[in-house]
Amino acid sequence: MDVPEGDHLSPSAEHILTSSGRDVVFRLPAKRTAASLARERTRHVLQRWAIDGELRDNVLLVASELTANAVEHGTSDGGNVLVAMTLGATLRVEVTDGDFLRKPALSVPGMHADRGRGLLLTDALTTAWGVTLYPPLGKVVWADFALPESTGRIP
């Protein structure tokens, strides 16, 4: 099963940069709406890859959390966020922003805090995650998801 080229990926494919059977990259404006756009586009990719159920839900949550973090902490006004997805031995989601000075770190928010749980969720829902810095260009926060036996065997 291959993912069709860009214009078949989603109703708003103008932000798709590349698309092949196993790799998709899309650019989003660094605005408050970026997390919901990431979730929408990720949902379309996962549907094409026949990924559903709990794995789909976890990937959607992590993709939107990492995108929201990139917009809030890693971009300046007018910047962009890149979201890349790769289907291989694992399913990897990568979110790139322009801030190479701050490396996200796992922390535990206070009991009454209404934010700050994105990386905790990422840590709980993925098999691995991390940050790769690319000074002076920015950073990539990535998350890997284990695939069920029947998934990820794209020829």
Side-chain angles (χ1 to χ4, degrees), residues 80-149:
N80 290 303
V81 173
L82 294 179
V83 178
M85 298 175 62
T86 303
L87 185 62
T90 63
L91 190 158
R92 176 170 279 201
V93 174
E94 298 178 344
V95 178
T96 302
D97 65 50
D99 181 5
F100 63 90
L101 296 174
R102 290 184 287 181
K103 189 173 181 177
L106 194 60
S107 63
V108 178
M111 184 182 350
H112 299 291
D114 60 352
R115 8 176 0 144
R117 292 174 177 81
L119 290 179
L120 283 174
L121 289 169
T122 298
D123 190 60
L125 299 174
T126 62
T127 55
W129 71 275
V131 181
T132 306
L133 300 176
Y134 293 102
L137 302 175
K139 70 175 168 294
V140 176
V141 181
W142 54 268
D144 288 341
F145 297 85
L147 295 171
E149 283 297 315

Side-chain angles (χ1 to χ4, degrees), residues 42-90:
T42 299
R43 183 183 322 277
H44 286 284
V45 173
L46 296 174
Q47 183 178 9
R48 297 286 187 198
W49 287 345
I51 294 174
D52 56 13
E54 185 177 351
L55 177 58
R56 178 202 55 223
D57 296 344
N58 291 346
V59 173
L60 290 172
L61 179 59
V62 169
S64 63
E65 288 291 338
L66 295 182
T67 301
N69 285 352
V71 168
E72 183 172 342
H73 304 292
T75 58
S76 57
D77 291 338
N80 290 303
V81 173
L82 294 179
V83 178
M85 298 175 62
T86 303
L87 185 62
T90 63

